[in-house]
Amino acid sequence: MSRESSTILDRHNKTMASILTHFRNMVLAATEPLPTSAAIPQASLNTMTMNNEVSAMIKDVEDLLALTRELKQLWIAGPLRKPGDADEKNLDKEIQNRITKIAENCNLLEELDTKVSQKVAAEQTSIAPEDEEAEREADGSSVAWEDSGSPN
């Protein structure tokens, strides 16, 4: 677990403990039995304690909401990295490796393209003499036919 995630987890645990403590104190103040001799001052003290505990509990819940927003931000955008962080160096190495692989693939494609072009050119040159011979034969047969004067 990284240091940042343990810090966030610690903040969450502390905030939750504080919320539960304030809730417990509020319930204790609300359920405390009132003495008969000093009922009004004790009731006022309990009311003030409950108001203070509710205010503190609301603040802690707001802190918990801020923590959840921070977690969402880290989840969506990722943590901010300082220049020279180990993650940044690993990311740079990964990018360089990908660039190298892409360059190798481009070179391989160029070599294959060159080989295919050479092969197509060689096939075209071997087909071209055969076409010329066929043309000569066609020309020669028509010339021989014209010389004989008859189609038979």
Side-chain angles (χ1 to χ4, degrees), residues 71-108:
L71 282 172
K72 287 178 186 177
Q73 179 184 6
L74 289 172
W75 181 50
I76 292 172
L80 295 177
R81 292 182 181 92
K82 296 178 182 173
D85 278 353
D87 290 339
E88 184 177 324
K89 291 178 183 176
N90 291 338
L91 184 62
D92 287 342
K93 287 180 184 177
E94 183 179 340
I95 289 171
Q96 287 298 327
N97 289 339
R98 287 182 181 182
I99 289 172
T100 304
K101 287 179 183 178
I102 290 171
E104 290 172 358
N105 289 339
C106 286
N107 290 338
L108 180 64

Side-chain angles (χ1 to χ4, degrees), residues 8 11-12 26 31 42 64 81 85-86 105 118 125 146:
I8 291 174
R11 285 175 46 197
H12 174 267
M26 182 186 65
T31 59
Q42 187 63 36
L64 189 62
R81 292 182 181 92
D85 278 353
N105 289 339
Q118 290 172 352
T125 56
E146 290 174 0

Side-chain angles (χ1 to χ4, degrees), residues 109-135:
L109 285 174
E110 287 178 5
E111 290 175 16
L112 290 174
D113 186 43
T114 304
K115 288 179 182 177
V116 167
S117 298
Q118 290 172 352
K119 188 174 183 179
V120 167
E123 288 176 358
Q124 287 178 350
T125 56
S126 66
I127 292 174
E130 292 174 5
D131 289 342
E132 289 176 9
E133 289 177 22
E135 285 179 15

Side-chain angles (χ1 to χ4, degrees), residues 6-18 64 67:
S6 65
T7 303
I8 291 174
L9 190 58
D10 289 341
R11 285 175 46 197
H12 174 267
N13 291 338
K14 288 177 185 177
T15 305
M16 288 302 298
S18 179
L64 189 62
L67 182 64

